[in-house]
Amino acid sequence: MSGGHGYDNYSLMIGRFQPLHKGHLEVIRQCASESDNLTIGIGSAQYSHSPENPFTAGERYLMIENTLFDEGIENYCIVPIEDINRYSVWVAHVASMSPPFSYVYSNNPFTRRLFEESGYSIRESPMYNRDEYSGTEVRRRIVAEEDWRTLVPGAVAEVIDEIDGVGRIKGICGGNL
Ligand code: ATP
Ligand code: MG
């Protein structure tokens, strides 16, 4: 623990993780290594079973936990965060769901502005192979029956297989529910 305040080097990142892919994993690896503790916020937590948000917060929780177990990363916590449609109080909403944190990792200008206005420090997180490592691309490949497994950690493919995530996404997107 550094400095006088125990939470000086606690940080936060937020994603929807629909599903967790190797780009997320890279950024989590980096953020966790730079932080005493990293809170991983699962955004849009209340949504599931839609084309943009096929997986529940609980399923996404499992993807993250199993992947980070395989990676040997332990200095993190996971908190589901429901959307609220009121930006002026969104940061307080996030903070109320999370352990204390001082830094926020984000490359989204709007997220950065909201946290900065509330007095948090921002740390830039680079994008890795964004053409392939994107949730939209993983979901597209699942529907198109192209190779999506190379884009996600092994533990994520396992969770998706166990819950028949492929069948779910094809059903939702193809209209054969
Ligand atoms: P979707 O296409 O479903 O929106 P996504 O790939 O954009 O998925 P999100 O779940 O929306 O991922 O999470 C967004 C956050 O995850 C970003 O703000 C960024 O910090 C991080 N992220 C996403 N993709 C990458 C990547 N390829 N490299 C590094 N960080 C990434
Ligand atoms: Mg996104």
Side-chain angles (χ1 to χ4, degrees):
M1 213 67 70
S2 60
H5 306 279
Y7 305 114
D8 270 1
N9 197 26
Y10 274 42
S11 60
L12 169 84
M13 77 159 283
I14 297 180
R16 285 186 303 107
F17 307 107
Q18 293 283 12
L20 175 78
H21 53 65
K22 288 180 178 174
H24 291 131
L25 177 56
E26 271 309 310
V27 92
I28 289 171
R29 216 187 256 131
Q30 183 212 321
C31 299
S33 77
E34 289 173 5
S35 307
D36 288 337
N37 193 277
L38 173 68
T39 295
I40 300 169
I42 301 178
S44 304
Q46 76 269 43
Y47 298 115
S48 70
H49 295 82
S50 76
E52 305 276 287
N53 290 294
F55 303 114
T56 67
E59 290 161 351
R60 291 177 270 162
Y61 191 108
L62 209 52
M63 292 173 192
I64 298 167
E65 188 174 65
N66 292 356
T67 298
L68 298 191
F69 177 83
D70 289 347
E71 291 290 315
I73 296 171
E74 295 181 334
N75 60 328
Y76 71 95
C77 7
I78 304 172
V79 292
I81 299 171
E82 294 189 7
D83 284 349
I84 54 167
N85 294 312
R86 200 165 162 192
Y87 294 127
S88 60
V89 294
W90 183 70
V91 169
H93 169 67
V94 172
S96 79
M97 300 299 293
S98 171
F101 59 92
S102 306
Y103 288 93
V104 178
Y105 287 95
S106 178
N107 36 39
N108 178 298
F110 189 62
T111 303
R112 281 213 304 263
R113 165 170 294 278
L114 290 179
F115 278 103
E116 268 169 354
E117 285 185 6
S118 294
Y120 290 95
S121 305
I122 305 299
R123 286 179 181 168
E124 280 288 333
S125 52
M127 281 293 189
Y128 300 94
N129 190 9
R130 182 62 177 162
D131 289 345
E132 291 199 302
Y133 294 163
S134 102
T136 302
E137 175 64 7
V138 176
R139 298 190 301 275
R140 187 196 68 74
R141 289 193 189 187
I142 287 175
V143 174
E145 299 187 347
E146 293 172 22
D147 173 37
W148 56 272
R149 289 172 192 273
T150 52
L151 305 187
V152 302
V156 171
E158 262 173 43
V159 171
I160 292 176
D161 286 339
E162 275 164 17
I163 63 173
D164 186 29
V166 170
R168 183 189 299 173
I169 290 178
K170 283 188 186 169
I172 294 166
C173 296
N176 2 293
L177 275 176

PDB file of all heavy atoms in Angstrom, residues 16 130 135-136, ligand 2:
ATOM      1  N   ARG A  16     -18.717  -3.763 -21.232  1.00  0.00           N
ATOM      2  CA  ARG A  16     -19.943  -4.573 -21.207  1.00  0.00           C
ATOM      3  C   ARG A  16     -19.607  -6.067 -21.244  1.00  0.00           C
ATOM      4  O   ARG A  16     -20.394  -6.895 -20.846  1.00  0.00           O
ATOM      5  CB  ARG A  16     -20.871  -4.181 -22.355  1.00  0.00           C
ATOM      6  CG  ARG A  16     -21.590  -2.852 -22.097  1.00  0.00           C
ATOM      7  CD  ARG A  16     -22.617  -2.538 -23.181  1.00  0.00           C
ATOM      8  NE  ARG A  16     -21.999  -2.521 -24.504  1.00  0.00           N
ATOM      9  CZ  ARG A  16     -22.163  -3.461 -25.437  1.00  0.00           C
ATOM     10  NH1 ARG A  16     -22.968  -4.481 -25.223  1.00  0.00           N
ATOM     11  NH2 ARG A  16     -21.523  -3.367 -26.589  1.00  0.00           N
ATOM     12  N   ARG A 130      -7.781  -3.751 -32.509  1.00  0.00           N
ATOM     13  CA  ARG A 130      -9.200  -3.414 -32.390  1.00  0.00           C
ATOM     14  C   ARG A 130     -10.060  -3.972 -33.533  1.00  0.00           C
ATOM     15  O   ARG A 130     -11.265  -4.165 -33.371  1.00  0.00           O
ATOM     16  CB  ARG A 130      -9.342  -1.895 -32.302  1.00  0.00           C
ATOM     17  CG  ARG A 130     -10.747  -1.389 -32.120  1.00  0.00           C
ATOM     18  CD  ARG A 130     -11.366  -1.878 -30.823  1.00  0.00           C
ATOM     19  NE  ARG A 130     -12.691  -1.327 -30.615  1.00  0.00           N
ATOM     20  CZ  ARG A 130     -13.579  -1.824 -29.768  1.00  0.00           C
ATOM     21  NH1 ARG A 130     -13.291  -2.900 -29.045  1.00  0.00           N
ATOM     22  NH2 ARG A 130     -14.757  -1.258 -29.620  1.00  0.00           N
ATOM     23  N   GLY A 135     -16.207  -6.794 -29.175  1.00  0.00           N
ATOM     24  CA  GLY A 135     -17.387  -7.606 -28.882  1.00  0.00           C
ATOM     25  C   GLY A 135     -18.285  -7.741 -30.095  1.00  0.00           C
ATOM     26  O   GLY A 135     -18.816  -8.832 -30.382  1.00  0.00           O
ATOM     27  N   THR A 136     -18.455  -6.646 -30.837  1.00  0.00           N
ATOM     28  CA  THR A 136     -19.297  -6.665 -32.033  1.00  0.00           C
ATOM     29  C   THR A 136     -18.781  -7.690 -33.034  1.00  0.00           C
ATOM     30  O   THR A 136     -19.559  -8.438 -33.638  1.00  0.00           O
ATOM     31  CB  THR A 136     -19.316  -5.257 -32.682  1.00  0.00           C
ATOM     32  OG1 THR A 136     -19.795  -4.323 -31.709  1.00  0.00           O
ATOM     33  CG2 THR A 136     -20.201  -5.225 -33.911  1.00  0.00           C
TER      34      THR A 136
HETATM   35 MG    MG B   2     -17.962  -1.012 -26.965  1.00  0.00          MG
END
